[in-house]
Amino acid sequence: MKQKKIMLLGGLRYLLPVIEAAHKLGYYVITCDYLPDNIAHKYSDEYVNVSIIDKEAVLTVAREKQIDGIMSFAVDPGVVTAAYVQDKMSLPAFGPYESVCILQNKDRFRDFLAKHSFNVPLAKGFSSVEEAMSEKYWYPWPVIVKPTDSAGSKGVTRVDRLEDLEAALRTAFDHSLSGRVIVEEFIEKAGCSSDSDCFSVNGELKFVSFSAQRFDDNAPNPYTPSAFSWPSTFTKKQEAELTSEIQRLLTLLGMRTSVYNIETRIGTNGKSYIMEVSPRGGGNRLSEMLRFATGVDLITNAVRAAVGEEVIGLEQKGYDGHWAEVVLHTKKSGRFDSLDIAPDFAEKHVRQTDLCVKPGDEVRAFMGANDAIGTLVLCFDTEEELVAALKDVDNWMTIKVK
Protein backbone atom coordinates (compact mmCIF):
# COMPACT_ATOMS: atom_id res chain seq x y z
CA MET A 1 0.00 0.00 0.00
CA LYS A 2 1.30 3.45 -0.94
CA GLN A 3 2.36 5.51 2.05
CA LYS A 4 0.03 8.48 2.63
CA LYS A 5 1.62 11.91 2.29
CA ILE A 6 0.33 14.85 4.31
CA MET A 7 1.47 18.44 3.91
CA LEU A 8 1.41 20.67 6.98
CA LEU A 9 1.56 24.41 6.43
CA GLY A 10 3.74 26.28 8.90
CA GLY A 11 6.54 25.24 11.19
CA LEU A 12 5.62 26.33 14.72
CA ARG A 13 5.95 24.09 17.76
CA TYR A 14 2.15 23.66 17.81
CA LEU A 15 2.65 21.29 14.86
CA LEU A 16 4.83 18.86 16.83
CA PRO A 17 1.92 16.77 18.20
CA VAL A 18 0.39 16.78 14.70
CA ILE A 19 3.61 15.42 13.21
CA GLU A 20 3.82 12.84 15.99
CA ALA A 21 0.24 11.72 15.31
CA ALA A 22 0.89 11.48 11.56
CA HIS A 23 4.01 9.40 12.09
CA LYS A 24 2.17 7.04 14.44
CA LEU A 25 -0.37 6.55 11.64
CA GLY A 26 2.46 5.76 9.23
CA TYR A 27 2.11 8.91 7.11
CA TYR A 28 4.92 10.78 5.37
CA VAL A 29 4.99 14.38 6.61
CA ILE A 30 5.99 17.39 4.51
CA THR A 31 6.19 20.75 6.29
CA CYS A 32 6.09 23.98 4.36
CA ASP A 33 6.85 27.65 5.03
CA TYR A 34 9.54 30.24 4.26
CA LEU A 35 11.38 29.93 7.62
CA PRO A 36 13.71 26.90 7.47
CA ASP A 37 14.75 27.27 11.11
CA ASN A 38 11.24 26.73 12.47
CA ILE A 39 11.20 23.84 14.89
CA ALA A 40 8.59 21.65 13.17
CA HIS A 41 10.84 21.15 10.15
CA LYS A 42 13.30 19.23 12.32
CA TYR A 43 10.66 16.56 12.94
CA SER A 44 9.01 16.25 9.52
CA ASP A 45 10.19 13.87 6.82
CA GLU A 46 10.67 16.67 4.31
CA TYR A 47 10.71 20.47 4.31
CA VAL A 48 9.73 22.74 1.42
CA ASN A 49 10.68 26.43 1.47
CA VAL A 50 7.65 28.28 0.11
CA SER A 51 5.36 30.91 1.61
CA ILE A 52 2.14 29.41 2.95
CA ILE A 53 0.10 32.42 1.79
CA ASP A 54 1.22 31.89 -1.83
CA LYS A 55 -1.61 29.60 -2.93
CA GLU A 56 -0.25 28.88 -6.41
CA ALA A 57 3.26 28.11 -5.16
CA VAL A 58 1.93 25.72 -2.52
CA LEU A 59 -0.34 24.08 -5.10
CA THR A 60 2.60 23.54 -7.45
CA VAL A 61 4.63 21.86 -4.71
CA ALA A 62 1.64 19.80 -3.55
CA ARG A 63 1.18 18.45 -7.06
CA GLU A 64 4.89 17.71 -7.43
CA LYS A 65 4.91 15.82 -4.13
CA GLN A 66 1.63 14.02 -4.96
CA ILE A 67 0.23 14.63 -1.51
CA ASP A 68 -2.88 12.89 -0.17
CA GLY A 69 -3.93 15.66 2.18
CA ILE A 70 -3.10 19.12 3.48
CA MET A 71 -3.87 21.05 6.63
CA SER A 72 -2.86 24.23 8.44
CA PHE A 73 -3.25 23.14 12.05
CA ALA A 74 -2.95 26.06 14.49
CA VAL A 75 -1.53 28.23 11.68
CA ASP A 76 -4.21 30.70 10.64
CA PRO A 77 -2.51 32.28 7.58
CA GLY A 78 -2.37 28.92 5.81
CA VAL A 79 -6.01 27.88 6.14
CA VAL A 80 -7.24 29.49 2.90
CA THR A 81 -4.23 28.10 1.04
CA ALA A 82 -4.95 24.60 2.37
CA ALA A 83 -8.59 24.88 1.26
CA TYR A 84 -7.44 26.11 -2.18
CA VAL A 85 -5.13 23.13 -2.66
CA GLN A 86 -7.86 20.76 -1.45
CA ASP A 87 -10.21 22.23 -4.03
CA LYS A 88 -7.78 22.21 -6.96
CA MET A 89 -6.49 18.68 -6.26
CA SER A 90 -9.85 17.18 -5.18
CA LEU A 91 -8.37 16.25 -1.80
CA PRO A 92 -10.39 15.65 1.39
CA ALA A 93 -11.64 19.12 2.28
CA PHE A 94 -12.83 21.10 5.31
CA GLY A 95 -15.70 22.36 3.16
CA PRO A 96 -16.25 24.45 0.03
CA TYR A 97 -13.37 26.80 -0.74
CA GLU A 98 -15.67 29.82 -0.79
CA SER A 99 -17.03 28.92 2.65
CA VAL A 100 -13.52 28.70 4.08
CA CYS A 101 -12.76 32.13 2.60
CA ILE A 102 -15.81 33.54 4.40
CA LEU A 103 -14.75 32.03 7.72
CA GLN A 104 -11.20 33.32 7.37
CA ASN A 105 -12.11 36.93 6.59
CA LYS A 106 -13.51 38.84 9.54
CA ASP A 107 -15.62 41.38 7.67
CA ARG A 108 -17.04 38.80 5.23
CA PHE A 109 -17.79 36.54 8.20
CA ARG A 110 -19.64 39.32 10.05
CA ASP A 111 -21.65 40.08 6.90
CA PHE A 112 -22.57 36.40 6.52
CA LEU A 113 -23.68 36.16 10.15
CA ALA A 114 -25.84 39.27 9.84
CA LYS A 115 -27.39 38.08 6.57
CA HIS A 116 -28.46 34.82 8.22
CA SER A 117 -29.84 36.40 11.43
CA PHE A 118 -27.12 35.37 13.89
CA ASN A 119 -26.37 37.66 16.81
CA VAL A 120 -23.48 39.78 15.53
CA PRO A 121 -21.68 42.95 16.62
CA LEU A 122 -22.01 46.04 14.45
CA ALA A 123 -18.94 45.95 12.21
CA LYS A 124 -17.48 47.18 8.95
CA GLY A 125 -14.27 46.53 7.03
CA PHE A 126 -12.00 49.20 5.57
CA SER A 127 -9.07 49.38 3.15
CA SER A 128 -7.41 52.54 4.46
CA VAL A 129 -7.05 54.64 7.58
CA GLU A 130 -8.68 57.57 5.76
CA GLU A 131 -11.72 55.50 4.80
CA ALA A 132 -12.21 54.26 8.35
CA MET A 133 -11.79 57.73 9.85
CA SER A 134 -14.34 59.18 7.41
CA GLU A 135 -17.08 56.89 8.76
CA LYS A 136 -16.49 57.45 12.45
CA TYR A 137 -20.02 58.80 12.89
CA TRP A 138 -21.49 55.30 13.39
CA TYR A 139 -18.94 53.81 15.80
CA PRO A 140 -20.64 52.54 18.99
CA TRP A 141 -17.88 53.28 21.53
CA PRO A 142 -16.01 51.31 22.68
CA VAL A 143 -14.88 49.49 19.53
CA ILE A 144 -12.36 46.80 18.69
CA VAL A 145 -10.04 47.49 15.77
CA LYS A 146 -8.32 44.48 14.20
CA PRO A 147 -6.96 43.11 10.93
CA THR A 148 -9.49 41.07 8.97
CA ASP A 149 -7.03 38.22 8.46
CA SER A 150 -4.76 37.82 11.48
CA ALA A 151 -4.92 35.57 14.52
CA GLY A 152 -3.34 35.43 17.95
CA SER A 153 -4.58 38.93 18.89
CA LYS A 154 -1.90 40.53 16.72
CA GLY A 155 -2.76 44.11 15.80
CA VAL A 156 -5.91 44.15 17.96
CA THR A 157 -6.76 47.24 20.02
CA ARG A 158 -9.77 48.32 22.06
CA VAL A 159 -10.57 51.99 21.44
CA ASP A 160 -12.72 53.97 23.87
CA ARG A 161 -12.44 57.44 22.36
CA LEU A 162 -12.11 58.99 18.93
CA GLU A 163 -8.68 60.52 19.52
CA ASP A 164 -7.15 57.03 19.89
CA LEU A 165 -8.76 55.57 16.78
CA GLU A 166 -6.19 56.51 14.13
CA ALA A 167 -3.26 54.95 16.02
CA ALA A 168 -5.25 51.73 16.49
CA LEU A 169 -6.11 51.63 12.79
CA ARG A 170 -2.45 52.01 11.82
CA THR A 171 -1.50 49.17 14.17
CA ALA A 172 -4.16 46.93 12.63
CA PHE A 173 -3.06 47.74 9.07
CA ASP A 174 0.54 46.96 10.03
CA HIS A 175 -0.57 43.41 10.90
CA SER A 176 -2.96 42.82 7.99
CA LEU A 177 -1.86 40.55 5.16
CA SER A 178 -4.64 41.72 2.84
CA GLY A 179 -4.54 45.42 3.69
CA ARG A 180 -7.98 45.43 5.30
CA VAL A 181 -9.09 46.02 8.87
CA ILE A 182 -12.40 45.80 10.67
CA VAL A 183 -13.90 48.19 13.21
CA GLU A 184 -16.34 46.35 15.42
CA GLU A 185 -18.66 47.03 18.30
CA PHE A 186 -17.07 45.83 21.54
CA ILE A 187 -19.38 43.26 23.13
CA GLU A 188 -19.07 43.45 26.91
CA LYS A 189 -18.99 39.86 28.05
CA ALA A 190 -20.79 38.19 30.92
CA GLY A 191 -18.34 35.84 32.61
CA CYS A 192 -15.46 34.62 30.48
CA SER A 193 -15.45 34.39 26.70
CA SER A 194 -14.60 31.00 25.16
CA ASP A 195 -11.85 29.91 22.78
CA SER A 196 -11.81 26.15 22.28
CA ASP A 197 -11.79 23.42 19.64
CA CYS A 198 -14.68 21.45 18.13
CA PHE A 199 -15.00 18.76 15.45
CA SER A 200 -17.56 17.95 12.77
CA VAL A 201 -17.94 14.76 10.71
CA ASN A 202 -19.73 15.16 7.37
CA GLY A 203 -20.95 18.54 8.60
CA GLU A 204 -22.39 17.28 11.89
CA LEU A 205 -20.86 18.41 15.16
CA LYS A 206 -19.56 15.37 17.01
CA PHE A 207 -17.43 17.08 19.65
CA VAL A 208 -18.07 20.53 21.11
CA SER A 209 -16.15 22.30 23.85
CA PHE A 210 -16.26 25.70 25.51
CA SER A 211 -13.49 27.18 27.64
CA ALA A 212 -13.04 30.13 29.94
CA GLN A 213 -10.65 32.49 28.17
CA ARG A 214 -8.67 34.55 30.67
CA PHE A 215 -6.50 37.66 30.33
CA ASP A 216 -3.63 39.39 32.10
CA ASP A 217 -4.84 42.93 32.72
CA ASN A 218 -1.26 44.01 33.42
CA ALA A 219 0.20 42.70 30.16
CA PRO A 220 1.23 45.19 27.45
CA ASN A 221 -1.69 43.88 25.36
CA PRO A 222 -4.48 42.93 27.78
CA TYR A 223 -6.53 41.47 24.89
CA THR A 224 -4.12 38.60 24.28
CA PRO A 225 -5.35 35.50 26.17
CA SER A 226 -3.00 34.52 29.00
CA ALA A 227 -4.84 31.40 30.21
CA PHE A 228 -7.67 29.03 29.32
CA SER A 229 -9.69 26.78 31.58
CA TRP A 230 -12.28 24.05 31.26
CA PRO A 231 -15.24 23.83 31.97
CA SER A 232 -16.45 27.23 30.75
CA THR A 233 -18.34 29.84 32.76
CA PHE A 234 -21.38 29.45 30.48
CA THR A 235 -24.56 27.81 31.71
CA LYS A 236 -25.67 24.52 30.14
CA LYS A 237 -28.49 26.40 28.45
CA GLN A 238 -26.07 28.92 26.96
CA GLU A 239 -23.77 26.14 25.73
CA ALA A 240 -26.73 24.35 24.14
CA GLU A 241 -27.82 27.54 22.36
CA LEU A 242 -24.31 28.20 21.06
CA THR A 243 -23.93 24.59 19.92
CA SER A 244 -27.17 24.86 17.96
CA GLU A 245 -26.04 28.11 16.33
CA ILE A 246 -22.60 26.71 15.46
CA GLN A 247 -24.28 23.71 13.86
CA ARG A 248 -26.59 26.01 11.89
CA LEU A 249 -23.58 27.97 10.67
CA LEU A 250 -21.66 24.87 9.56
CA THR A 251 -24.75 23.59 7.74
CA LEU A 252 -25.31 26.89 5.92
CA LEU A 253 -21.68 26.89 4.80
CA GLY A 254 -21.70 23.24 3.74
CA MET A 255 -18.75 22.35 5.97
CA ARG A 256 -17.62 18.73 6.09
CA THR A 257 -15.15 16.88 8.32
CA SER A 258 -12.75 19.10 10.24
CA VAL A 259 -11.45 20.32 13.55
CA TYR A 260 -12.41 23.97 14.27
CA ASN A 261 -11.11 26.67 16.52
CA ILE A 262 -14.19 28.58 17.70
CA GLU A 263 -14.47 31.74 19.78
CA THR A 264 -17.78 32.57 21.44
CA ARG A 265 -19.09 34.82 24.18
CA ILE A 266 -22.23 35.76 26.08
CA GLY A 267 -22.86 39.50 26.13
CA THR A 268 -24.05 41.41 29.16
CA ASN A 269 -27.19 41.88 27.06
CA GLY A 270 -27.81 38.13 27.47
CA LYS A 271 -27.22 37.34 23.79
CA SER A 272 -24.85 34.61 22.60
CA TYR A 273 -22.30 35.48 19.94
CA ILE A 274 -20.14 33.40 17.60
CA MET A 275 -17.07 35.59 17.25
CA GLU A 276 -14.69 33.45 15.17
CA VAL A 277 -14.78 30.03 13.47
CA SER A 278 -11.73 28.65 11.69
CA PRO A 279 -11.34 25.13 10.21
CA ARG A 280 -8.08 24.42 12.01
CA GLY A 281 -6.90 23.44 15.45
CA GLY A 282 -6.43 26.39 17.78
CA GLY A 283 -3.07 27.74 18.78
CA ASN A 284 -2.07 27.63 22.42
CA ARG A 285 -2.33 23.80 22.39
CA LEU A 286 -6.12 23.82 22.78
CA SER A 287 -6.67 20.39 21.20
CA GLU A 288 -3.90 18.99 23.38
CA MET A 289 -5.62 20.45 26.45
CA LEU A 290 -8.87 18.78 25.47
CA ARG A 291 -7.04 15.47 25.20
CA PHE A 292 -5.78 15.98 28.75
CA ALA A 293 -9.22 17.00 30.02
CA THR A 294 -11.48 14.52 28.16
CA GLY A 295 -9.28 11.83 26.58
CA VAL A 296 -10.71 12.70 23.14
CA ASP A 297 -7.99 12.90 20.48
CA LEU A 298 -8.92 15.69 18.06
CA ILE A 299 -5.39 15.90 16.65
CA THR A 300 -5.13 12.32 15.40
CA ASN A 301 -8.62 12.53 13.95
CA ALA A 302 -7.83 15.81 12.18
CA VAL A 303 -4.79 14.12 10.60
CA ARG A 304 -6.85 11.10 9.57
CA ALA A 305 -9.56 13.31 8.09
CA ALA A 306 -7.01 15.32 6.10
CA VAL A 307 -6.02 12.25 4.06
CA GLY A 308 -9.53 10.83 3.82
CA GLU A 309 -9.28 8.18 6.53
CA GLU A 310 -12.21 7.36 8.81
CA VAL A 311 -12.52 9.35 12.03
CA ILE A 312 -12.25 7.00 15.03
CA GLY A 313 -13.18 7.32 18.71
CA LEU A 314 -14.64 10.79 18.42
CA GLU A 315 -17.43 11.26 20.95
CA GLN A 316 -18.69 13.92 23.33
CA LYS A 317 -17.18 13.45 26.77
CA GLY A 318 -17.15 15.46 29.98
CA TYR A 319 -14.11 16.90 31.71
CA ASP A 320 -12.14 14.76 34.14
CA GLY A 321 -11.49 17.49 36.68
CA HIS A 322 -10.93 21.22 36.29
CA TRP A 323 -8.18 22.00 33.81
CA ALA A 324 -6.24 25.12 32.98
CA GLU A 325 -3.53 26.13 30.59
CA VAL A 326 -1.35 29.09 31.54
CA VAL A 327 0.34 30.86 28.63
CA LEU A 328 3.79 31.72 29.96
CA HIS A 329 4.75 35.29 29.12
CA THR A 330 6.67 38.29 30.32
CA LYS A 331 5.54 41.86 30.73
CA LYS A 332 8.88 43.26 29.54
CA SER A 333 11.35 42.45 26.81
CA GLY A 334 14.80 41.20 27.71
CA ARG A 335 16.67 37.95 28.15
CA PHE A 336 15.01 34.99 29.84
CA ASP A 337 16.60 33.94 33.10
CA SER A 338 14.37 31.40 34.85
CA LEU A 339 10.90 29.99 35.53
CA ASP A 340 10.29 29.31 39.22
CA ILE A 341 7.18 27.47 40.46
CA ALA A 342 6.45 26.85 44.14
CA PRO A 343 7.31 23.15 44.74
CA ASP A 344 4.13 22.34 46.67
CA PHE A 345 1.97 23.90 43.96
CA ALA A 346 3.87 22.11 41.18
CA GLU A 347 3.55 18.74 42.87
CA LYS A 348 -0.17 19.09 43.39
CA HIS A 349 -1.34 20.84 40.21
CA VAL A 350 1.24 20.95 37.39
CA ARG A 351 0.74 18.15 34.87
CA GLN A 352 3.13 19.43 32.19
CA THR A 353 5.59 22.27 31.66
CA ASP A 354 6.40 23.23 28.08
CA LEU A 355 9.05 25.96 28.05
CA CYS A 356 10.26 27.00 24.60
CA VAL A 357 13.09 29.28 25.69
CA LYS A 358 16.31 28.68 27.60
CA PRO A 359 18.35 31.01 29.84
CA GLY A 360 19.87 33.82 27.82
CA ASP A 361 17.31 33.70 25.01
CA GLU A 362 15.77 36.99 23.97
CA VAL A 363 12.06 37.33 24.86
CA ARG A 364 9.50 39.98 23.96
CA ALA A 365 6.85 41.69 26.04
CA PHE A 366 3.47 39.97 25.67
CA MET A 367 1.74 41.73 22.77
CA GLY A 368 0.40 38.68 20.90
CA ALA A 369 0.26 34.89 21.01
CA ASN A 370 3.62 34.69 19.19
CA ASP A 371 5.28 36.33 22.22
CA ALA A 372 4.47 33.38 24.50
CA ILE A 373 7.47 31.56 25.95
CA GLY A 374 5.68 28.32 26.81
CA THR A 375 2.70 26.81 28.60
CA LEU A 376 1.75 25.09 31.83
CA VAL A 377 -0.91 22.40 32.04
CA LEU A 378 -2.69 22.47 35.39
CA CYS A 379 -5.37 20.34 37.01
CA PHE A 380 -7.53 21.07 40.07
CA ASP A 381 -10.18 19.23 42.02
CA THR A 382 -12.56 22.19 42.19
CA GLU A 383 -13.43 25.33 40.26
CA GLU A 384 -12.68 27.39 43.35
CA GLU A 385 -9.09 26.11 43.46
CA LEU A 386 -8.63 26.83 39.77
CA VAL A 387 -10.00 30.37 39.95
CA ALA A 388 -7.90 31.21 43.02
CA ALA A 389 -4.71 29.94 41.35
CA LEU A 390 -5.28 31.86 38.11
CA LYS A 391 -6.18 35.02 40.00
CA ASP A 392 -2.92 35.00 41.97
CA VAL A 393 -0.37 33.52 39.56
CA ASP A 394 2.39 35.67 41.05
CA ASN A 395 1.93 33.89 44.39
CA TRP A 396 3.16 30.56 43.00
CA MET A 397 5.12 31.39 39.83
CA THR A 398 7.88 33.81 38.89
CA ILE A 399 9.33 34.42 35.44
CA LYS A 400 12.65 36.25 35.65
CA VAL A 401 13.84 38.37 32.75
CA LYS A 402 17.10 40.34 32.74
Side-chain angles (χ1 to χ4, degrees), residues 143-170:
V143 296
I144 285 285
V145 179
K146 52 190 173 183
T148 62
D149 53 5
S150 75
S153 302
K154 294 184 287 292
V156 177
T157 309
R158 170 174 162 159
V159 182
D160 292 273
R161 54 185 193 160
L162 177 60
E163 45 265 54
D164 297 327
L165 179 60
E166 184 172 345
L169 288 165
R170 295 193 184 282

Side-chain angles (χ1 to χ4, degrees), residues 243-263:
T243 298
S244 176
E245 287 291 85
I246 293 167
Q247 179 64 73
R248 182 165 75 91
L249 174 65
L250 298 185
T251 300
L252 285 168
L253 289 169
M255 300 304 289
R256 299 168 193 156
T257 299
S258 179
V259 64
Y260 303 89
N261 178 235
I262 299 179
E263 296 185 31

Side-chain angles (χ1 to χ4, degrees), residues 170-203:
R170 295 193 184 282
T171 297
F173 275 111
D174 285 345
H175 288 83
S176 174
L177 298 173
S178 64
R180 281 186 65 80
V181 306
I182 188 170
V183 179
E184 176 178 286
E185 174 188 11
F186 182 77
I187 301 297
E188 295 285 355
K189 60 184 184 291
C192 294
S193 52
S194 170
D195 181 3
S196 201
D197 287 356
C198 303
F199 208 108
S200 72
V201 178
N202 297 324

Side-chain angles (χ1 to χ4, degrees), residues 47-341:
Y47 164 66
V48 178
N49 190 319
V50 63
S51 169
I52 65 173
I53 63 173
D54 187 335
K55 299 192 294 291
E56 295 299 337
V58 174
L59 176 61
T60 296
V61 172
R63 283 174 168 157
E64 288 174 356
K65 302 298 180 182
Q66 298 182 320
I67 65 169
D68 299 286
I70 184 171
M71 61 193 301
S72 191
F73 195 97
V75 183
D76 201 67
V79 173
V80 168
T81 297
Y84 181 76
V85 174
Q86 290 168 352
D87 181 68
K88 294 300 182 182
M89 293 182 64
S90 299
L91 298 174
F94 317 132
Y97 173 66
E98 180 62 18
S99 293
V100 175
C101 290
I102 290 170
L103 291 175
Q104 290 300 115
N105 184 285
K106 290 179 175 60
D107 51 349
R108 290 189 67 189
F109 182 53
R110 292 289 183 268
D111 289 345
F112 185 89
L113 292 176
K115 178 181 177 182
H116 293 280
S117 301
F118 290 87
N119 294 326
V120 61
L122 293 173
K124 188 172 182 180
F126 300 100
S127 296
S128 70
V129 171
E130 293 73 23
E131 182 187 9
M133 292 297 293
S134 72
E135 296 199 23
K136 56 184 179 289
Y137 58 85
W138 69 269
Y139 297 153
W141 306 104
V143 296
I144 285 285
V145 179
K146 52 190 173 183
T148 62
D149 53 5
S150 75
S153 302
K154 294 184 287 292
V156 177
T157 309
R158 170 174 162 159
V159 182
D160 292 273
R161 54 185 193 160
L162 177 60
E163 45 265 54
D164 297 327
L165 179 60
E166 184 172 345
L169 288 165
R170 295 193 184 282
T171 297
F173 275 111
D174 285 345
H175 288 83
S176 174
L177 298 173
S178 64
R180 281 186 65 80
V181 306
I182 188 170
V183 179
E184 176 178 286
E185 174 188 11
F186 182 77
I187 301 297
E188 295 285 355
K189 60 184 184 291
C192 294
S193 52
S194 170
D195 181 3
S196 201
D197 287 356
C198 303
F199 208 108
S200 72
V201 178
N202 297 324
E204 182 181 350
L205 280 171
K206 293 294 186 182
F207 181 88
V208 184
S209 69
F210 298 96
S211 71
Q213 190 180 38
R214 302 174 186 274
F215 300 85
D216 182 349
D217 292 336
N218 297 314
N221 183 354
Y223 301 104
T224 299
S226 61
F228 304 84
S229 64
W230 293 262
S232 73
T233 61
F234 300 159
T235 66
K236 295 300 181 185
K237 181 179 179 181
Q238 289 167 338
E239 289 191 352
E241 180 181 349
L242 281 165
T243 298
S244 176
E245 287 291 85
I246 293 167
Q247 179 64 73
R248 182 165 75 91
L249 174 65
L250 298 185
T251 300
L252 285 168
L253 289 169
M255 300 304 289
R256 299 168 193 156
T257 299
S258 179
V259 64
Y260 303 89
N261 178 235
I262 299 179
E263 296 185 31
T264 55
R265 66 175 51 191
I266 305 297
T268 53
N269 57 11
K271 296 181 179 180
S272 59
Y273 293 86
I274 302 173
M275 305 301 293
E276 309 281 350
V277 176
S278 180
R280 60 173 174 85
N284 286 316
R285 306 181 63 200
L286 299 180
S287 284
E288 289 179 80
M289 285 300 304
L290 291 166
R291 188 164 56 189
F292 276 110
T294 69
V296 177
D297 191 344
L298 302 184
I299 294 173
T300 297
N301 276 308
V303 173
R304 294 179 65 90
V307 298
E309 299 280 4
E310 181 185 0
V311 170
I312 295 175
L314 191 68
E315 58 180 309
Q316 192 69 47
K317 288 186 177 180
Y319 304 108
D320 183 16
H322 295 262
W323 291 82
E325 177 190 21
V326 173
V327 180
L328 299 173
H329 63 277
T330 176
K331 296 176 178 61
K332 66 177 183 177
S333 299
R335 296 199 175 274
F336 176 73
D337 182 64
S338 64
L339 167 67
D340 299 318
I341 301 174

